Amino acid sequence: AHAMQDVGYHFSNLWFAGQHEHWDLAEFYWLETRSHLQWAVRIIPIRKNLAGEDIILKDILEGFENGPLKQLHDAIAARDKSAFDKTYRTCVETCYSCHKVSDKPFIRPQIPTQPESPMINFDPNAKWPQ
């Protein structure tokens, strides 16, 4: 749970970095999100579903990293807000798919309504602090 809280923190702030078109900050939060997802899978690589079947989280993460998460990174690199918004939403939907297959459909991610950290300035043109 702790590793996934970190994922939520970084992924939420990623949304706001993208909304402000602060692409350097978005790149940072994208890298942190990916790193913490990998950490979460190292902590719990296999889950059992309610039927007792193994859910190989590494395989799910690999598909996510090579699909929607890569596309999100491509949108960040291209500084394309429209593609970022669309792909971020796809990532949220894909995350929920993993929750459902892991028999945790009650964990419903959403587009964040506020940043996780009120201390971070998302303005790419901010001049303070120096």
Side-chain angles (χ1 to χ4, degrees):
H2 177 80
M4 289 307 294
Q5 284 180 318
D6 287 353
V7 169
Y9 174 89
H10 296 302
F11 199 61
S12 177
N13 282 339
L14 172 56
W15 171 253
F16 289 97
Q19 293 312 291
H20 287 87
E21 299 184 52
H22 192 328
W23 301 116
D24 293 336
L25 188 59
E27 173 76 10
F28 169 78
Y29 281 122
W30 181 89
L31 288 166
E32 290 297 304
T33 298
R34 186 182 67 173
S35 172
H36 285 81
L37 281 167
Q38 292 168 348
W39 177 38
V41 168
R42 281 192 307 272
I43 293 168
I44 302 175
I46 299 172
R47 287 196 175 272
K48 294 261 186 212
N49 66 13
L50 295 175
E53 302 164 327
D54 287 344
I55 306 299
I56 312 298
L57 297 177
K58 179 182 173 201
D59 294 346
I60 294 172
L61 178 58
E62 186 176 309
F64 181 62
E65 286 182 323
N66 292 325
L69 197 60
K70 181 188 178 311
Q71 293 166 1
L72 185 60
H73 188 255
D74 293 345
I76 293 166
R79 299 173 179 257
D80 183 338
K81 186 173 179 307
S82 176
F84 175 89
D85 289 356
K86 180 181 177 202
T87 308
Y88 188 96
R89 291 175 190 280
T90 300
C91 286
V92 171
E93 292 167 2
T94 305
C95 288
Y96 187 55
S97 295
C98 181
H99 295 179
K100 289 191 298 187
V101 78
S102 298
D103 287 329
K104 298 192 179 355
F106 46 85
I107 302 175
R108 294 181 183 272
Q110 64 181 5
I111 301 300
T113 57
Q114 64 186 24
E116 285 292 317
S117 176
M119 187 173 185
I120 301 298
N121 186 337
F122 291 94
D123 179 358
N125 299 312
K127 303 295 184 215
W128 187 91
Q130 296 186 23

